[in-house]
Amino acid sequence: MSEWIRVCLFSDIAPLGSRIAASSQGDIAIFRSADDQVFALRDKCPHRGGPLSQGIVHGDTVTCPLHGWKLGLKDGQAVAPDKGCARRFAVKIEAEAVWLQLT
């Protein structure tokens, strides 16, 4: 069974910014790209557990603030030559609100 939870208003996330949603599965980082796409990843870099929500968003990637690993926002995969993955969560925008799917 999947559950959608309302996280915030779309306008609460600055372009190239992020918000954190606390869940029983750990913190989830909600990112907004420069072209207003929204993505959600577990807020933990697969390298050393750095907080991705504090990283730099550029294009459709985020750079971990600890050691510079880049992860794709669409799939959570580390960009080569790095290897690893941050769990991705479905996210949608309805009536100006950002919704996150927890399964």
mmCIF file of all heavy atoms in Angstrom, residues 40-95:
data_model
loop_
_atom_site.group_PDB
_atom_site.id
_atom_site.type_symbol
_atom_site.label_atom_id
_atom_site.label_comp_id
_atom_site.label_asym_id
_atom_site.label_seq_id
_atom_site.Cartn_x
_atom_site.Cartn_y
_atom_site.Cartn_z
ATOM 1 N N ALA A 40 12.928 13.607 -5.175
ATOM 2 C CA ALA A 40 13.080 13.222 -3.775
ATOM 3 C C ALA A 40 14.039 12.040 -3.664
ATOM 4 O O ALA A 40 13.885 11.032 -4.352
ATOM 5 C CB ALA A 40 11.724 12.859 -3.176
ATOM 6 N N LEU A 41 15.035 12.201 -2.786
ATOM 7 C CA LEU A 41 16.008 11.147 -2.506
ATOM 8 C C LEU A 41 16.178 11.009 -0.999
ATOM 9 O O LEU A 41 15.998 11.992 -0.257
ATOM 10 C CB LEU A 41 17.388 11.490 -3.089
ATOM 11 C CG LEU A 41 17.528 11.676 -4.589
ATOM 12 C CD1 LEU A 41 18.964 12.103 -4.912
ATOM 13 C CD2 LEU A 41 17.179 10.392 -5.322
ATOM 14 N N ARG A 42 16.571 9.821 -0.558
ATOM 15 C CA ARG A 42 16.928 9.662 0.842
ATOM 16 C C ARG A 42 18.055 10.637 1.132
ATOM 17 O O ARG A 42 18.999 10.764 0.347
ATOM 18 C CB ARG A 42 17.369 8.227 1.120
ATOM 19 C CG ARG A 42 17.682 8.005 2.578
ATOM 20 C CD ARG A 42 17.774 6.548 2.917
ATOM 21 N NE ARG A 42 18.002 6.417 4.327
ATOM 22 C CZ ARG A 42 18.927 5.629 4.844
ATOM 23 N NH1 ARG A 42 19.667 4.873 4.073
ATOM 24 N NH2 ARG A 42 19.083 5.554 6.146
ATOM 25 N N ASP A 43 17.980 11.323 2.241
ATOM 26 C CA ASP A 43 18.939 12.382 2.572
ATOM 27 C C ASP A 43 20.233 11.809 3.137
ATOM 28 O O ASP A 43 20.677 12.169 4.225
ATOM 29 C CB ASP A 43 18.310 13.364 3.552
ATOM 30 C CG ASP A 43 19.125 14.639 3.713
ATOM 31 O OD1 ASP A 43 19.882 14.982 2.785
ATOM 32 O OD2 ASP A 43 19.004 15.286 4.771
ATOM 33 N N LYS A 44 20.825 10.876 2.381
ATOM 34 C CA LYS A 44 22.042 10.217 2.852
ATOM 35 C C LYS A 44 22.859 9.762 1.652
ATOM 36 O O LYS A 44 22.432 8.901 0.893
ATOM 37 C CB LYS A 44 21.679 9.022 3.733
ATOM 38 C CG LYS A 44 22.849 8.396 4.420
ATOM 39 C CD LYS A 44 22.366 7.327 5.388
ATOM 40 C CE LYS A 44 23.550 6.723 6.109
ATOM 41 N NZ LYS A 44 23.104 5.695 7.052
ATOM 42 N N CYS A 45 24.032 10.347 1.479
ATOM 43 C CA CYS A 45 24.912 9.965 0.374
ATOM 44 C C CYS A 45 25.379 8.520 0.576
ATOM 45 O O CYS A 45 25.718 8.131 1.703
ATOM 46 C CB CYS A 45 26.112 10.904 0.327
ATOM 47 S SG CYS A 45 27.282 10.524 -0.992
ATOM 48 N N PRO A 46 25.410 7.717 -0.495
ATOM 49 C CA PRO A 46 25.839 6.324 -0.350
ATOM 50 C C PRO A 46 27.330 6.180 -0.041
ATOM 51 O O PRO A 46 27.777 5.121 0.371
ATOM 52 C CB PRO A 46 25.498 5.703 -1.709
ATOM 53 C CG PRO A 46 25.440 6.832 -2.657
ATOM 54 C CD PRO A 46 24.981 8.020 -1.853
ATOM 55 N N HIS A 47 28.092 7.253 -0.200
ATOM 56 C CA HIS A 47 29.531 7.175 0.047
ATOM 57 C C HIS A 47 29.847 7.129 1.538
ATOM 58 O O HIS A 47 30.343 6.143 2.044
ATOM 59 C CB HIS A 47 30.231 8.367 -0.629
ATOM 60 C CG HIS A 47 31.691 8.444 -0.363
ATOM 61 N ND1 HIS A 47 32.284 9.606 0.085
ATOM 62 C CD2 HIS A 47 32.680 7.535 -0.480
ATOM 63 C CE1 HIS A 47 33.595 9.396 0.233
ATOM 64 N NE2 HIS A 47 33.856 8.152 -0.104
ATOM 65 N N ARG A 48 29.516 8.189 2.244
ATOM 66 C CA ARG A 48 29.813 8.263 3.673
ATOM 67 C C ARG A 48 28.654 8.834 4.488
ATOM 68 O O ARG A 48 28.846 9.301 5.603
ATOM 69 C CB ARG A 48 31.049 9.121 3.918
ATOM 70 C CG ARG A 48 32.321 8.573 3.333
ATOM 71 C CD ARG A 48 33.152 7.901 4.410
ATOM 72 N NE ARG A 48 34.292 7.206 3.841
ATOM 73 C CZ ARG A 48 35.540 7.592 3.983
ATOM 74 N NH1 ARG A 48 35.825 8.672 4.666
ATOM 75 N NH2 ARG A 48 36.507 6.882 3.454
ATOM 76 N N GLY A 49 27.461 8.827 3.898
ATOM 77 C CA GLY A 49 26.283 9.245 4.645
ATOM 78 C C GLY A 49 26.069 10.739 4.752
ATOM 79 O O GLY A 49 25.298 11.189 5.602
ATOM 80 N N GLY A 50 26.720 11.514 3.917
ATOM 81 C CA GLY A 50 26.567 12.968 3.966
ATOM 82 C C GLY A 50 25.143 13.409 3.677
ATOM 83 O O GLY A 50 24.396 12.727 2.979
ATOM 84 N N PRO A 51 24.720 14.546 4.210
ATOM 85 C CA PRO A 51 23.363 15.065 4.010
ATOM 86 C C PRO A 51 23.189 15.680 2.620
ATOM 87 O O PRO A 51 23.629 16.808 2.382
ATOM 88 C CB PRO A 51 23.215 16.113 5.105
ATOM 89 C CG PRO A 51 24.620 16.609 5.323
ATOM 90 C CD PRO A 51 25.526 15.431 5.070
ATOM 91 N N LEU A 52 22.565 14.971 1.724
ATOM 92 C CA LEU A 52 22.389 15.460 0.355
ATOM 93 C C LEU A 52 21.599 16.756 0.310
ATOM 94 O O LEU A 52 21.801 17.581 -0.577
ATOM 95 C CB LEU A 52 21.718 14.393 -0.504
ATOM 96 C CG LEU A 52 22.531 13.114 -0.714
ATOM 97 C CD1 LEU A 52 21.709 12.081 -1.479
ATOM 98 C CD2 LEU A 52 23.836 13.413 -1.435
ATOM 99 N N SER A 53 20.708 16.959 1.275
ATOM 100 C CA SER A 53 19.896 18.183 1.303
ATOM 101 C C SER A 53 20.759 19.433 1.466
ATOM 102 O O SER A 53 20.322 20.527 1.158
ATOM 103 C CB SER A 53 18.875 18.116 2.434
ATOM 104 O OG SER A 53 19.537 17.982 3.691
ATOM 105 N N GLN A 54 21.981 19.275 1.925
ATOM 106 C CA GLN A 54 22.891 20.409 2.088
ATOM 107 C C GLN A 54 23.842 20.547 0.902
ATOM 108 O O GLN A 54 24.732 21.396 0.903
ATOM 109 C CB GLN A 54 23.686 20.259 3.383
ATOM 110 C CG GLN A 54 22.810 20.324 4.609
ATOM 111 C CD GLN A 54 23.599 20.107 5.886
ATOM 112 O OE1 GLN A 54 24.788 20.362 5.959
ATOM 113 N NE2 GLN A 54 22.913 19.628 6.911
ATOM 114 N N GLY A 55 23.640 19.698 -0.117
ATOM 115 C CA GLY A 55 24.492 19.732 -1.294
ATOM 116 C C GLY A 55 24.079 20.803 -2.288
ATOM 117 O O GLY A 55 23.096 21.513 -2.099
ATOM 118 N N ILE A 56 24.846 20.883 -3.365
ATOM 119 C CA ILE A 56 24.593 21.861 -4.420
ATOM 120 C C ILE A 56 23.842 21.179 -5.558
ATOM 121 O O ILE A 56 24.291 20.165 -6.086
ATOM 122 C CB ILE A 56 25.913 22.459 -4.940
ATOM 123 C CG1 ILE A 56 26.620 23.207 -3.801
ATOM 124 C CG2 ILE A 56 25.668 23.393 -6.125
ATOM 125 C CD1 ILE A 56 28.027 23.629 -4.137
ATOM 126 N N VAL A 57 22.693 21.752 -5.925
ATOM 127 C CA VAL A 57 21.894 21.238 -7.040
ATOM 128 C C VAL A 57 22.348 21.946 -8.313
ATOM 129 O O VAL A 57 22.466 23.167 -8.343
ATOM 130 C CB VAL A 57 20.384 21.483 -6.799
ATOM 131 C CG1 VAL A 57 19.565 21.040 -7.998
ATOM 132 C CG2 VAL A 57 19.924 20.773 -5.530
ATOM 133 N N HIS A 58 22.616 21.150 -9.345
ATOM 134 C CA HIS A 58 23.002 21.705 -10.648
ATOM 135 C C HIS A 58 22.472 20.765 -11.715
ATOM 136 O O HIS A 58 22.716 19.565 -11.668
ATOM 137 C CB HIS A 58 24.520 21.902 -10.761
ATOM 138 C CG HIS A 58 25.310 20.747 -10.241
ATOM 139 N ND1 HIS A 58 25.787 19.740 -11.043
ATOM 140 C CD2 HIS A 58 25.672 20.430 -8.975
ATOM 141 C CE1 HIS A 58 26.430 18.858 -10.308
ATOM 142 N NE2 HIS A 58 26.374 19.243 -9.052
ATOM 143 N N GLY A 59 21.703 21.341 -12.638
ATOM 144 C CA GLY A 59 21.053 20.495 -13.642
ATOM 145 C C GLY A 59 20.138 19.501 -12.967
ATOM 146 O O GLY A 59 19.304 19.864 -12.139
ATOM 147 N N ASP A 60 20.319 18.215 -13.290
ATOM 148 C CA ASP A 60 19.513 17.181 -12.630
ATOM 149 C C ASP A 60 20.383 16.309 -11.733
ATOM 150 O O ASP A 60 20.167 15.115 -11.590
ATOM 151 C CB ASP A 60 18.738 16.348 -13.655
ATOM 152 C CG ASP A 60 19.649 15.622 -14.630
ATOM 153 O OD1 ASP A 60 20.869 15.813 -14.575
ATOM 154 O OD2 ASP A 60 19.125 14.841 -15.438
ATOM 155 N N THR A 61 21.387 16.946 -11.089
ATOM 156 C CA THR A 61 22.238 16.248 -10.133
ATOM 157 C C THR A 61 22.383 17.085 -8.859
ATOM 158 O O THR A 61 22.105 18.277 -8.842
ATOM 159 C CB THR A 61 23.651 15.962 -10.696
ATOM 160 O OG1 THR A 61 24.283 17.202 -10.994
ATOM 161 C CG2 THR A 61 23.611 15.113 -11.943
ATOM 162 N N VAL A 62 22.822 16.400 -7.801
ATOM 163 C CA VAL A 62 23.161 17.072 -6.549
ATOM 164 C C VAL A 62 24.562 16.599 -6.167
ATOM 165 O O VAL A 62 24.895 15.434 -6.350
ATOM 166 C CB VAL A 62 22.138 16.780 -5.428
ATOM 167 C CG1 VAL A 62 22.051 15.302 -5.075
ATOM 168 C CG2 VAL A 62 22.447 17.603 -4.182
ATOM 169 N N THR A 63 25.379 17.515 -5.660
ATOM 170 C CA THR A 63 26.720 17.186 -5.215
ATOM 171 C C THR A 63 26.729 17.129 -3.695
ATOM 172 O O THR A 63 26.342 18.087 -3.027
ATOM 173 C CB THR A 63 27.744 18.234 -5.709
ATOM 174 O OG1 THR A 63 27.718 18.240 -7.139
ATOM 175 C CG2 THR A 63 29.146 17.905 -5.234
ATOM 176 N N CYS A 64 27.174 16.000 -3.158
ATOM 177 C CA CYS A 64 27.242 15.821 -1.707
ATOM 178 C C CYS A 64 28.221 16.832 -1.114
ATOM 179 O O CYS A 64 29.321 17.019 -1.645
ATOM 180 C CB CYS A 64 27.681 14.397 -1.382
ATOM 181 S SG CYS A 64 27.847 14.104 0.393
ATOM 182 N N PRO A 65 27.848 17.460 -0.001
ATOM 183 C CA PRO A 65 28.716 18.485 0.580
ATOM 184 C C PRO A 65 29.956 17.921 1.274
ATOM 185 O O PRO A 65 30.903 18.662 1.528
ATOM 186 C CB PRO A 65 27.799 19.190 1.588
ATOM 187 C CG PRO A 65 26.822 18.134 1.994
ATOM 188 C CD PRO A 65 26.583 17.329 0.744
ATOM 189 N N LEU A 66 29.993 16.640 1.560
ATOM 190 C CA LEU A 66 31.145 16.092 2.277
ATOM 191 C C LEU A 66 32.341 15.781 1.384
ATOM 192 O O LEU A 66 33.462 16.186 1.674
ATOM 193 C CB LEU A 66 30.750 14.830 3.053
ATOM 194 C CG LEU A 66 29.800 15.014 4.227
ATOM 195 C CD1 LEU A 66 29.622 13.708 4.977
ATOM 196 C CD2 LEU A 66 30.288 16.096 5.172
ATOM 197 N N HIS A 67 32.116 15.021 0.317
ATOM 198 C CA HIS A 67 33.241 14.565 -0.497
ATOM 199 C C HIS A 67 33.044 14.777 -1.994
ATOM 200 O O HIS A 67 33.791 14.234 -2.795
ATOM 201 C CB HIS A 67 33.518 13.084 -0.217
ATOM 202 C CG HIS A 67 33.871 12.817 1.214
ATOM 203 N ND1 HIS A 67 32.964 12.299 2.101
ATOM 204 C CD2 HIS A 67 35.013 13.053 1.905
ATOM 205 C CE1 HIS A 67 33.542 12.197 3.294
ATOM 206 N NE2 HIS A 67 34.780 12.648 3.202
ATOM 207 N N GLY A 68 32.003 15.524 -2.376
ATOM 208 C CA GLY A 68 31.835 15.898 -3.770
ATOM 209 C C GLY A 68 31.242 14.839 -4.687
ATOM 210 O O GLY A 68 31.285 14.997 -5.893
ATOM 211 N N TRP A 69 30.672 13.781 -4.121
ATOM 212 C CA TRP A 69 30.006 12.799 -4.989
ATOM 213 C C TRP A 69 28.801 13.466 -5.646
ATOM 214 O O TRP A 69 28.095 14.252 -5.015
ATOM 215 C CB TRP A 69 29.526 11.607 -4.170
ATOM 216 C CG TRP A 69 30.551 10.536 -3.982
ATOM 217 C CD1 TRP A 69 31.889 10.700 -3.756
ATOM 218 C CD2 TRP A 69 30.309 9.134 -3.991
ATOM 219 N NE1 TRP A 69 32.485 9.481 -3.616
ATOM 220 C CE2 TRP A 69 31.543 8.493 -3.759
ATOM 221 C CE3 TRP A 69 29.177 8.345 -4.161
ATOM 222 C CZ2 TRP A 69 31.680 7.119 -3.698
ATOM 223 C CZ3 TRP A 69 29.310 6.972 -4.089
ATOM 224 C CH2 TRP A 69 30.544 6.366 -3.876
ATOM 225 N N LYS A 70 28.583 13.129 -6.912
ATOM 226 C CA LYS A 70 27.429 13.643 -7.651
ATOM 227 C C LYS A 70 26.431 12.507 -7.827
ATOM 228 O O LYS A 70 26.803 11.405 -8.213
ATOM 229 C CB LYS A 70 27.866 14.184 -9.008
ATOM 230 C CG LYS A 70 28.742 15.413 -8.904
ATOM 231 C CD LYS A 70 29.233 15.859 -10.266
ATOM 232 C CE LYS A 70 30.119 17.072 -10.166
ATOM 233 N NZ LYS A 70 31.380 16.846 -9.482
ATOM 234 N N LEU A 71 25.160 12.804 -7.543
ATOM 235 C CA LEU A 71 24.093 11.821 -7.695
ATOM 236 C C LEU A 71 23.004 12.383 -8.592
ATOM 237 O O LEU A 71 22.639 13.557 -8.471
ATOM 238 C CB LEU A 71 23.495 11.454 -6.334
ATOM 239 C CG LEU A 71 24.468 10.641 -5.476
ATOM 240 C CD1 LEU A 71 24.933 11.466 -4.330
ATOM 241 C CD2 LEU A 71 23.840 9.365 -5.041
ATOM 242 N N GLY A 72 22.477 11.536 -9.471
ATOM 243 C CA GLY A 72 21.389 11.931 -10.339
ATOM 244 C C GLY A 72 20.105 12.084 -9.549
ATOM 245 O O GLY A 72 19.747 11.208 -8.768
ATOM 246 N N LEU A 73 19.424 13.195 -9.733
ATOM 247 C CA LEU A 73 18.176 13.419 -9.010
ATOM 248 C C LEU A 73 17.042 12.544 -9.547
ATOM 249 O O LEU A 73 16.112 12.218 -8.813
ATOM 250 C CB LEU A 73 17.781 14.894 -9.089
ATOM 251 C CG LEU A 73 18.707 15.854 -8.336
ATOM 252 C CD1 LEU A 73 18.338 17.291 -8.657
ATOM 253 C CD2 LEU A 73 18.652 15.597 -6.841
ATOM 254 N N LYS A 74 17.114 12.166 -10.814
ATOM 255 C CA LYS A 74 16.040 11.359 -11.408
ATOM 256 C C LYS A 74 16.053 9.918 -10.922
ATOM 257 O O LYS A 74 15.005 9.293 -10.809
ATOM 258 C CB LYS A 74 16.137 11.380 -12.931
ATOM 259 C CG LYS A 74 15.841 12.742 -13.520
ATOM 260 C CD LYS A 74 15.956 12.729 -15.025
ATOM 261 C CE LYS A 74 15.676 14.113 -15.593
ATOM 262 N NZ LYS A 74 15.793 14.155 -17.038
ATOM 263 N N ASP A 75 17.264 9.376 -10.648
ATOM 264 C CA ASP A 75 17.347 7.962 -10.287
ATOM 265 C C ASP A 75 18.143 7.666 -9.018
ATOM 266 O O ASP A 75 18.192 6.538 -8.559
ATOM 267 C CB ASP A 75 17.930 7.145 -11.443
ATOM 268 C CG ASP A 75 19.314 7.603 -11.861
ATOM 269 O OD1 ASP A 75 19.926 8.439 -11.159
ATOM 270 O OD2 ASP A 75 19.800 7.117 -12.905
ATOM 271 N N GLY A 76 18.802 8.663 -8.455
ATOM 272 C CA GLY A 76 19.582 8.473 -7.246
ATOM 273 C C GLY A 76 20.943 7.830 -7.466
ATOM 274 O O GLY A 76 21.700 7.628 -6.517
ATOM 275 N N GLN A 77 21.277 7.503 -8.720
ATOM 276 C CA GLN A 77 22.537 6.826 -9.033
ATOM 277 C C GLN A 77 23.718 7.802 -8.979
ATOM 278 O O GLN A 77 23.619 8.932 -9.446
ATOM 279 C CB GLN A 77 22.478 6.203 -10.436
ATOM 280 C CG GLN A 77 21.507 5.052 -10.554
ATOM 281 C CD GLN A 77 21.973 3.823 -9.797
ATOM 282 O OE1 GLN A 77 23.154 3.530 -9.708
ATOM 283 N NE2 GLN A 77 21.018 3.094 -9.242
ATOM 284 N N ALA A 78 24.837 7.306 -8.431
ATOM 285 C CA ALA A 78 26.061 8.090 -8.436
ATOM 286 C C ALA A 78 26.551 8.234 -9.871
ATOM 287 O O ALA A 78 26.402 7.328 -10.688
ATOM 288 C CB ALA A 78 27.119 7.400 -7.580
ATOM 289 N N VAL A 79 27.121 9.394 -10.171
ATOM 290 C CA VAL A 79 27.666 9.668 -11.493
ATOM 291 C C VAL A 79 29.075 9.076 -11.555
ATOM 292 O O VAL A 79 29.869 9.257 -10.630
ATOM 293 C CB VAL A 79 27.685 11.189 -11.765
ATOM 294 C CG1 VAL A 79 28.335 11.501 -13.095
ATOM 295 C CG2 VAL A 79 26.264 11.754 -11.697
ATOM 296 N N ALA A 80 29.388 8.375 -12.648
ATOM 297 C CA ALA A 80 30.704 7.735 -12.815
ATOM 298 C C ALA A 80 31.807 8.768 -12.670
ATOM 299 O O ALA A 80 31.622 9.922 -13.048
ATOM 300 C CB ALA A 80 30.770 7.050 -14.173
ATOM 301 N N PRO A 81 32.906 8.397 -12.079
ATOM 302 C CA PRO A 81 33.360 7.043 -11.779
ATOM 303 C C PRO A 81 32.860 6.498 -10.448
ATOM 304 O O PRO A 81 33.161 5.357 -10.091
ATOM 305 C CB PRO A 81 34.882 7.197 -11.742
ATOM 306 C CG PRO A 81 35.080 8.577 -11.179
ATOM 307 C CD PRO A 81 33.947 9.394 -11.768
ATOM 308 N N ASP A 82 32.094 7.284 -9.689
ATOM 309 C CA ASP A 82 31.590 6.811 -8.401
ATOM 310 C C ASP A 82 30.488 5.784 -8.607
ATOM 311 O O ASP A 82 29.811 5.776 -9.640
ATOM 312 C CB ASP A 82 31.088 7.988 -7.568
ATOM 313 C CG ASP A 82 32.195 8.992 -7.277
ATOM 314 O OD1 ASP A 82 33.332 8.558 -7.017
ATOM 315 O OD2 ASP A 82 31.924 10.205 -7.330
ATOM 316 N N LYS A 83 30.302 4.925 -7.608
ATOM 317 C CA LYS A 83 29.269 3.889 -7.682
ATOM 318 C C LYS A 83 28.473 3.890 -6.390
ATOM 319 O O LYS A 83 29.034 4.019 -5.309
ATOM 320 C CB LYS A 83 29.896 2.518 -7.910
ATOM 321 C CG LYS A 83 30.585 2.406 -9.247
ATOM 322 C CD LYS A 83 31.106 1.016 -9.473
ATOM 323 C CE LYS A 83 31.812 0.982 -10.831
ATOM 324 N NZ LYS A 83 32.123 -0.342 -11.251
ATOM 325 N N GLY A 84 27.177 3.755 -6.539
ATOM 326 C CA GLY A 84 26.288 3.732 -5.391
ATOM 327 C C GLY A 84 24.963 4.354 -5.762
ATOM 328 O O GLY A 84 24.780 4.837 -6.881
ATOM 329 N N CYS A 85 24.043 4.338 -4.821
ATOM 330 C CA CYS A 85 22.700 4.839 -5.106
ATOM 331 C C CYS A 85 22.039 5.320 -3.821
ATOM 332 O O CYS A 85 22.161 4.686 -2.777
ATOM 333 C CB CYS A 85 21.878 3.715 -5.742
ATOM 334 S SG CYS A 85 20.222 4.207 -6.229
ATOM 335 N N ALA A 86 21.349 6.444 -3.918
ATOM 336 C CA ALA A 86 20.483 6.921 -2.842
ATOM 337 C C ALA A 86 19.059 6.559 -3.249
ATOM 338 O O ALA A 86 18.679 6.731 -4.410
ATOM 339 C CB ALA A 86 20.619 8.426 -2.665
ATOM 340 N N ARG A 87 18.290 6.050 -2.319
ATOM 341 C CA ARG A 87 16.919 5.653 -2.638
ATOM 342 C C ARG A 87 16.113 6.844 -3.154
ATOM 343 O O ARG A 87 16.178 7.945 -2.604
ATOM 344 C CB ARG A 87 16.236 5.070 -1.409
ATOM 345 C CG ARG A 87 14.834 4.627 -1.709
ATOM 346 C CD ARG A 87 14.188 3.910 -0.582
ATOM 347 N NE ARG A 87 12.797 3.638 -0.936
ATOM 348 C CZ ARG A 87 11.873 3.321 -0.073
ATOM 349 N NH1 ARG A 87 12.175 3.190 1.201
ATOM 350 N NH2 ARG A 87 10.639 3.111 -0.462
ATOM 351 N N ARG A 88 15.369 6.604 -4.230
ATOM 352 C CA ARG A 88 14.524 7.626 -4.840
ATOM 353 C C ARG A 88 13.085 7.426 -4.377
ATOM 354 O O ARG A 88 12.640 6.298 -4.170
ATOM 355 C CB ARG A 88 14.592 7.520 -6.365
ATOM 356 C CG ARG A 88 13.890 8.640 -7.078
ATOM 357 C CD ARG A 88 13.812 8.395 -8.572
ATOM 358 N NE ARG A 88 12.898 7.314 -8.908
ATOM 359 C CZ ARG A 88 11.576 7.422 -8.969
ATOM 360 N NH1 ARG A 88 10.994 8.565 -8.716
ATOM 361 N NH2 ARG A 88 10.831 6.395 -9.281
ATOM 362 N N PHE A 89 12.364 8.508 -4.218
ATOM 363 C CA PHE A 89 10.950 8.468 -3.843
ATOM 364 C C PHE A 89 10.145 9.225 -4.892
ATOM 365 O O PHE A 89 10.611 10.230 -5.433
ATOM 366 C CB PHE A 89 10.718 9.125 -2.478
ATOM 367 C CG PHE A 89 11.324 8.361 -1.334
ATOM 368 C CD1 PHE A 89 12.651 8.561 -0.989
ATOM 369 C CD2 PHE A 89 10.584 7.446 -0.611
ATOM 370 C CE1 PHE A 89 13.233 7.867 0.052
ATOM 371 C CE2 PHE A 89 11.148 6.748 0.440
ATOM 372 C CZ PHE A 89 12.476 6.954 0.775
ATOM 373 N N ALA A 90 8.935 8.751 -5.152
ATOM 374 C CA ALA A 90 8.046 9.444 -6.089
ATOM 375 C C ALA A 90 7.562 10.736 -5.432
ATOM 376 O O ALA A 90 7.294 10.783 -4.229
ATOM 377 C CB ALA A 90 6.864 8.556 -6.449
ATOM 378 N N VAL A 91 7.468 11.771 -6.247
ATOM 379 C CA VAL A 91 7.017 13.073 -5.775
ATOM 380 C C VAL A 91 6.156 13.699 -6.872
ATOM 381 O O VAL A 91 6.367 13.457 -8.057
ATOM 382 C CB VAL A 91 8.239 13.959 -5.392
ATOM 383 C CG1 VAL A 91 9.081 14.283 -6.589
ATOM 384 C CG2 VAL A 91 7.840 15.197 -4.658
ATOM 385 N N LYS A 92 5.156 14.473 -6.456
ATOM 386 C CA LYS A 92 4.286 15.139 -7.430
ATOM 387 C C LYS A 92 3.861 16.485 -6.873
ATOM 388 O O LYS A 92 3.957 16.743 -5.668
ATOM 389 C CB LYS A 92 3.062 14.279 -7.753
ATOM 390 C CG LYS A 92 2.122 14.058 -6.576
ATOM 391 C CD LYS A 92 0.955 13.156 -6.948
ATOM 392 C CE LYS A 92 0.037 12.925 -5.745
ATOM 393 N NZ LYS A 92 -1.088 12.045 -6.070
ATOM 394 N N ILE A 93 3.385 17.334 -7.790
ATOM 395 C CA ILE A 93 2.868 18.644 -7.405
ATOM 396 C C ILE A 93 1.398 18.687 -7.790
ATOM 397 O O ILE A 93 1.040 18.426 -8.939
ATOM 398 C CB ILE A 93 3.634 19.778 -8.111
ATOM 399 C CG1 ILE A 93 5.111 19.709 -7.737
ATOM 400 C CG2 ILE A 93 3.038 21.133 -7.752
ATOM 401 C CD1 ILE A 93 5.972 20.623 -8.549
ATOM 402 N N GLU A 94 0.559 18.979 -6.825
ATOM 403 C CA GLU A 94 -0.883 19.130 -7.060
ATOM 404 C C GLU A 94 -1.366 20.347 -6.296
ATOM 405 O O GLU A 94 -1.123 20.454 -5.096
ATOM 406 C CB GLU A 94 -1.649 17.888 -6.584
ATOM 407 C CG GLU A 94 -1.501 16.692 -7.485
ATOM 408 C CD GLU A 94 -2.385 15.524 -7.039
ATOM 409 O OE1 GLU A 94 -3.062 15.617 -6.000
ATOM 410 O OE2 GLU A 94 -2.373 14.518 -7.757
ATOM 411 N N ALA A 95 -2.051 21.227 -6.988
ATOM 412 C CA ALA A 95 -2.611 22.442 -6.377
ATOM 413 C C ALA A 95 -1.556 23.194 -5.571
ATOM 414 O O ALA A 95 -1.783 23.564 -4.414
ATOM 415 C CB ALA A 95 -3.817 22.087 -5.512
#
